[in-house]
Amino acid sequence: QVQPVESGGGLVQPGGSLRLSCAFSTNIFSLYNVDWYRQAPGKQRELVASITSGGTTNYVDSVKGRFTISRDNAKNTVDLQMNSLKLEDTAVYYCRARNKFGSTWYWGQGTQVTVSS
């Protein structure tokens, strides 16, 4: 019933920045917990960052200090600001969302991030 859509991916140089956005339509956006995952070919999908309905954030150690997750409930968006990008950040990035009172996680289709010199 909820379909997250990611945008903002692309090709960047090492040390560069990108800002990803996750958007989905609902009248109760502020009740949703939202995660960003990423997956490189041949590797497990890993949780990169999360934000709760209350605004609490968490990050995988490899991106701490470089990535920031935030939400704008008025715009129904959750963003992932990625700075100081490294080659190993190359992956498809996915958004996942769940109503904190529900039990179903909804996945987006993903957006490609490529870090290359």
Side-chain angles (χ1 to χ4, degrees), residues 6-7 9 12 17 19 21-22 24 30 42 55 57 60 68 79-80 106:
E6 304 94 337
S7 62
V12 297
S17 297
R19 189 175 184 90
S21 183
C22 172
F24 52 92
S30 63
T57 61
V60 67
T68 302
D79 289 357
L80 185 68
Y106 302 95

Side-chain angles (χ1 to χ4, degrees), residues 75-91:
K75 297 180 179 179
N76 283 19
T77 58
V78 170
D79 289 357
L80 185 68
Q81 178 67 47
M82 305 185 295
N83 299 326
S84 302
L85 284 161
K86 304 175 179 179
L87 297 180
E88 54 263 40
D89 294 319
T90 295

Side-chain angles (χ1 to χ4, degrees), residues 40-109:
K43 295 186 177 295
Q44 297 276 331
R45 188 171 297 187
E46 69 170 345
L47 178 63
V48 177
S50 63
I51 187 165
T52 69
S53 63
T56 301
T57 61
N58 203 4
Y59 304 89
V60 67
D61 286 345
S62 61
V63 309
K64 287 181 178 177
R66 300 189 298 121
F67 291 10
T68 302
I69 188 170
S70 62
R71 67 192 302 152
D72 187 337
N73 292 333
K75 297 180 179 179
N76 283 19
T77 58
V78 170
D79 289 357
L80 185 68
Q81 178 67 47
M82 305 185 295
N83 299 326
S84 302
L85 284 161
K86 304 175 179 179
L87 297 180
E88 54 263 40
D89 294 319
T90 295
V92 177
Y93 284 71
Y94 298 90
C95 179
R96 187 182 74 158
R98 179 182 66 85
N99 185 325
K100 70 176 183 179
F101 296 115
S103 60
T104 302
W105 285 98
Y106 302 95
W107 289 91
Q109 296 298 308

